[in-house]
């Protein structure tokens, strides 16, 4: 992976950054020419995202299995797993609390709408027990066919544990999993080399379509969400890497830059996974921990999505002139934490799960229509927070494990 980032000549991070700036400039220049941009530029971004979606299923499957077996000892997997889950749940709950506090203290800037004539059809109404049952696959192939990441994680954990139990004297099984993991990593690396082109083709339509005008009315809620993203990153991630791993926050964010730039333009945590793994390892996270913590986090740890859901719940409530009570807020904390776990690491997934949060406190789901137009702009920021949280966790858990 290292070479893909430090490619001969210009490093990938610089290429991505240049592509990002060029994409924004081209988007501004082509504002309004939506047909051309969507017809001829966006498809190249879509090809790239399709390739990523194609490879991410085997990548997560083999990478978590390789992570489990590389720890060699079920107790170590348990100890890393418990720390990871605790870190993920606590940071997500803090994230949603920050989102709610911020949005509540700034909600006087949100408009109260005169019309409720909005059209948004929630694609599904998820209830907690159904979500829980849905995590466990009932068919061996279905998780792969449907790219159901939570089911893939469950399958890879079961098989990984089984390998540890039967495979202690049979190195061949371990080698097979590690080789398959290397192969899919290589495939991903090849795809990632295309990322500067993809970044250009993905960011340009966002700017051309939304234009500077749309930002006007929604600028306030976007701003509140972005303040939340920044506050959470600075407070929670800086503190945790400093306190648990003794790593300077400036060094941490600098080292994370390639992954941050990529997440911002692709709005996909799973797509950012390989770059994020490189960044986490270069920041001192152990390889075996990284290959367990990051694929898991790319699917279940979504602090940015949680902040967005908290801010949007308050925003939508105020637009409809509804005041959220304290117990409703607590319900939002709980459902947004679960919703962010169930959110797939692909563009736009958080908005679908927002329906579950709104329903839990009886807010009108049609309210999603208010924020849907600029969802991509929310999404770029929340994905950056999502992946930064995963790497912070890998750095922290590695440091704690090393101290043992
Ligand atoms: N796009 C986000 C991610 O990949 C998920 C979301 O839509 O909130 O992390």
């Amino acid at each position: 992976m290292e070479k893909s980032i430090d490619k001969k000549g210009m490093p990938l991070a610089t290429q991505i950054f240049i592509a990002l700036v060029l994409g924004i400039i081209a988007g501004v220049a082509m504002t309004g020419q939506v047909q051309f941009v969507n017809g001829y530029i966006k498809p190249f971004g879509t090809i790239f995202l399709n390739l990523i979606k194609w490879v991410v299923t085997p990548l997560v499957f083999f990478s978590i299995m390789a992570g489990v077996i590389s720890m060699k000892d079920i107790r170590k997997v348990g100890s890393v797993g418990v720390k990871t889950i605790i870190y993920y749940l606590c940071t997500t709950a803090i994230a949603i609390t920050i989102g709610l506090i911020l949005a509540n203290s700034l909600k006087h800037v949100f408009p109260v709408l005169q019309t409720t004539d909005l059209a948004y059809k929630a694609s599904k109404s998820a209830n907690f027990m159904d979500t829980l049952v849905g995590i466990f696959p009932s068919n061996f192939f279905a998780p792969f066919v449907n790219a159901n990441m939570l089911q893939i994680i469950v399958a890879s954990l079961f098989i990984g544990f089984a390998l540890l139990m039967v495979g202690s004297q049979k190195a061949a099984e371990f080698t097979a999993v590690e080789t398959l993991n290397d192969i899919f990593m290589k495939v991903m690396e090849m795809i990632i080399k295309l990322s500067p082109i993809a970044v250009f083709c993905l960011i340009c339509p966002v700017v051309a379509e939304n234009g500077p005008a749309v930002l006007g009315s929604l600028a306030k809620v976007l701003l509140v969400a972005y303040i939340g993203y920044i506050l959470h990153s600075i407070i929670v991630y800086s503190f945790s890497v400093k306190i648990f791993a003794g790593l300077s926050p400036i060094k941490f964010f600098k080292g994370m830059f390639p992954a941050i730039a990529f997440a911002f333009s692709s709005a996909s945590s799973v797509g950012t996974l390989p770059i994020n793994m490189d960044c986490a390892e270069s920041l001192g996270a152990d390889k075996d921990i990284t290959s367990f913590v990051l694929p898991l986090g790319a699917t279940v740890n979504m602090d940015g999505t949680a902040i967005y859901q908290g801010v949007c719940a308050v925003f939508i409530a105020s637009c409809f002139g509804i005041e959220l009570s304290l117990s409703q807020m607590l319900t939002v904390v709980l459902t947004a934490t679960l919703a962010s776990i169930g959110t797939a690491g692909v563009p736009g997934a958080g908005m679908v799960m927002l329906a579950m949060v709104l329903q839990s406190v009886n807010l009108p789901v049609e309210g999603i229509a208010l924020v849907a137009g600029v969802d991509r702009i929310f999404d770029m920021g929340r994905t950056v927070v999502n992946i930064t949280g995963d790497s912070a966790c890998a750095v922290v858990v590695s440091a704690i494990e090393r101290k043992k």
Side-chain angles (χ1 to χ4, degrees):
M1 288 304 295
E2 216 41 55
K3 271 188 223 106
S4 78
I5 286 193
D6 290 314
K7 227 166 130 182
K8 266 177 261 121
M10 200 186 283
L12 190 64
T14 317
Q15 295 180 32
I16 291 177
F17 182 71
I18 293 173
L20 189 68
V21 174
L22 289 179
I24 292 173
I25 295 172
V28 171
M30 286 190 272
T31 306
Q33 298 182 35
V34 179
Q35 232 175 353
F36 173 79
V37 174
N38 282 349
Y40 296 99
I41 295 181
K42 200 174 173 183
F44 293 100
T46 310
I47 291 176
F48 177 79
L49 289 180
N50 286 349
L51 285 173
I52 294 234
K53 283 188 214 154
W54 162 69
V55 76
V56 80
T57 318
L59 190 75
V60 167
F61 184 66
F62 289 114
S63 155
I64 291 193
M65 264 199 305
V68 168
I69 60 176
S70 67
M71 285 188 235
K72 294 200 175 66
D73 174 2
I74 292 192
R75 264 169 311 175
K76 180 161 183 200
V77 184
S79 135
V80 169
V82 168
K83 289 187 188 81
T84 305
I85 299 292
I86 292 177
Y87 184 95
Y88 283 167
L89 286 180
C90 291
T91 51
T92 305
I94 296 174
I96 164 85
T97 311
I98 290 179
L100 283 174
I101 293 176
L102 249 182
N104 270 302
S105 34
L106 298 172
K107 72 174 174 210
H108 54 275
V109 303
F110 297 153
V112 177
L113 297 182
Q114 301 307 319
T115 168
T116 50
D117 183 21
L118 296 164
Y120 176 86
K121 285 262 163 287
S123 53
K124 59 173 182 239
S125 71
N127 93 26
F128 174 65
M129 288 318 282
D130 289 346
T131 312
L132 184 70
V133 172
I135 293 174
F136 299 90
S138 61
N139 174 301
F140 189 82
F141 298 104
F144 299 94
V145 174
N146 302 324
N148 184 324
M149 300 318 264
L150 286 177
Q151 292 188 348
I152 288 169
I153 289 175
V154 169
S156 62
L157 286 174
F158 267 108
I159 301 173
F161 280 125
L163 274 169
L164 274 187
M165 289 169 189
V166 301
S168 45
Q169 293 98 12
K170 301 178 189 165
E173 287 91 341
F174 283 24
T175 319
V177 171
E178 276 151 10
T179 309
L180 282 162
N181 186 33
D182 289 347
I183 291 172
F184 285 106
M185 280 289 177
K186 254 289 169 279
V187 174
M188 188 62 150
E189 217 177 282
M190 281 157 35
I191 299 172
I192 289 300
K193 283 194 180 142
L194 304 171
S195 54
I197 301 170
V199 162
F200 178 90
C201 299
L202 288 169
I203 197 91
C204 176
V206 175
V207 179
E209 232 175 294
N210 291 302
V214 69
L215 298 181
S217 58
L218 289 160
K220 287 169 189 156
V221 59
L222 278 168
L223 191 70
V224 174
Y226 270 81
I227 294 174
Y229 298 155
I230 293 169
L231 277 182
H232 182 74
S233 306
I234 292 178
I235 298 172
V236 178
Y237 304 146
S238 297
F239 265 95
S240 51
V241 296
K242 182 78 199 156
I243 291 171
F244 295 106
L247 182 66
S248 127
I250 296 178
K251 227 171 133 191
F252 174 71
F253 286 107
K254 236 175 152 179
M256 281 298 293
F257 180 74
I260 287 176
F262 189 81
F264 188 75
S265 36
S266 70
S268 171
S269 299
V270 286
T272 313
L273 189 54
I275 299 190
N276 208 15
M277 282 177 151
D278 261 352
C279 291
E281 278 166 32
S282 67
L283 285 167
D286 296 334
K287 199 170 177 352
D288 55 350
I289 292 181
T290 305
S291 64
F292 176 79
V293 169
L294 291 192
L296 187 69
T299 312
V300 306
N301 183 44
M302 308 255 171
D303 295 354
T305 304
I307 295 172
Y308 152 85
Q309 285 169 341
V311 169
C312 285
V314 175
F315 174 72
I316 290 168
S318 356
C319 287
F320 284 88
I322 301 166
E323 189 81 32
L324 286 178
S325 67
L326 191 64
S327 78
Q328 281 179 311
M329 303 261 196
L330 290 175
T331 311
V332 171
V333 172
L334 191 71
T335 42
T337 305
L338 294 174
S340 70
I341 293 174
T343 304
V346 294
M351 194 179 73
V352 176
M353 298 307 273
L354 181 58
M356 171 170 152
V357 177
L358 296 180
Q359 275 167 342
S360 72
V361 285
N362 290 325
L363 283 174
V365 175
E366 306 89 296
I368 294 181
L370 293 170
V371 285
V374 286
D375 183 64
R376 185 57 188 244
I377 303 172
F378 282 112
D379 202 0
M380 297 190 297
R382 62 186 191 239
T383 309
V384 166
V385 180
N386 292 345
I387 60 108
T388 310
D390 300 341
S391 269
C393 179
V395 169
V396 165
V397 173
S398 297
I400 298 176
E401 284 295 312
R402 239 175 272 139
K403 271 180 211 149
K404 286 203 322 201

